[in-house]
Amino acid sequence: MVSERLRFAAFENFRTNGQYHIEANEFHHREGKLEGDVLHFKQGHYSGGHLIFGPYRDLPIGTYTVMFDLSVTSTDLKSVVVDVASQKHGELDYIKTPLAKLSTNQPTLKFRCDDANDMFEFRVKFENDFTGEISFRGVILSQV
């Protein structure tokens, strides 16, 4: 089917090493502002919960890794939680990453798509209210 082939061509592009970048502007968010290609949350007080989520994508059947391109600065926050969820199965995987490690290791998760009709979202969550600044540049998906 030609339309399905085009829809998933990003994973077959040798120039991107089979990686697919979902830009920050494709995500939903609470209180952020898009500045160029970065979703920025200026220094301020934010409520806990999911601040970044979406973009609700269908994927070809397979196993994936997703890397969150994210930086967070805060004096009263110790970690950030990222997760991947599907419409049909809820949360599939998550990782809690200390802020100190974000500068050297971007959080990465592995998940599987067993149903091409399922929709997936990639979320950034904070467990508590905090004061800080966030920059989000999107996620990079790779088929394993």
Side-chain angles (χ1 to χ4, degrees), residues 70 78 80 96-107:
L70 172 72
K78 301 215 182 317
V80 59
K96 184 175 180 176
T97 303
L99 293 191
K101 291 188 175 185
L102 274 182
S103 61
T104 56
N105 293 323
Q106 293 297 320

Side-chain angles (χ1 to χ4, degrees), residues 19-141:
Q19 294 181 334
Y20 178 47
H21 184 220
I22 302 176
E23 306 277 342
N25 67 352
E26 298 187 50
F27 285 79
H28 303 280
H29 54 89
R30 290 189 297 133
E31 304 178 55
K33 181 179 179 189
L34 197 60
E35 297 175 359
D37 58 354
V38 177
L39 181 56
H40 187 73
F41 296 75
K42 66 180 183 176
Q43 180 69 30
H45 184 75
Y46 297 96
S47 299
H50 289 102
L51 288 185
I52 303 166
F53 51 97
Y56 309 102
R57 289 285 174 88
D58 55 346
L59 298 170
I61 291 173
T63 302
Y64 296 87
T65 60
V66 58
M67 184 194 75
F68 292 75
D69 192 352
L70 172 72
S71 58
V72 180
T73 306
S74 175
T75 56
D76 60 353
L77 186 68
K78 301 215 182 317
S79 62
V80 59
V81 176
V82 299
D83 66 39
V84 58
S86 88
Q87 208 169 39
K88 293 185 177 182
H89 302 287
E91 186 177 86
L92 300 174
D93 196 11
Y94 75 95
I95 187 169
K96 184 175 180 176
T97 303
L99 293 191
K101 291 188 175 185
L102 274 182
S103 61
T104 56
N105 293 323
Q106 293 297 320
T108 302
L109 299 171
K110 188 174 182 179
F111 69 98
R112 177 143 182 89
C113 170
D114 291 320
D115 182 347
N117 294 314
D118 203 352
M119 301 291 277
F120 294 85
E121 70 171 321
F122 311 98
R123 307 182 295 194
V124 178
K125 176 182 175 183
F126 298 90
E127 294 179 307
N128 303 305
D129 295 357
F130 70 98
T131 300
E133 183 176 3
I134 307 160
S135 294
F136 178 69
R137 290 165 287 283
V139 300
I140 298 175
L141 280 175

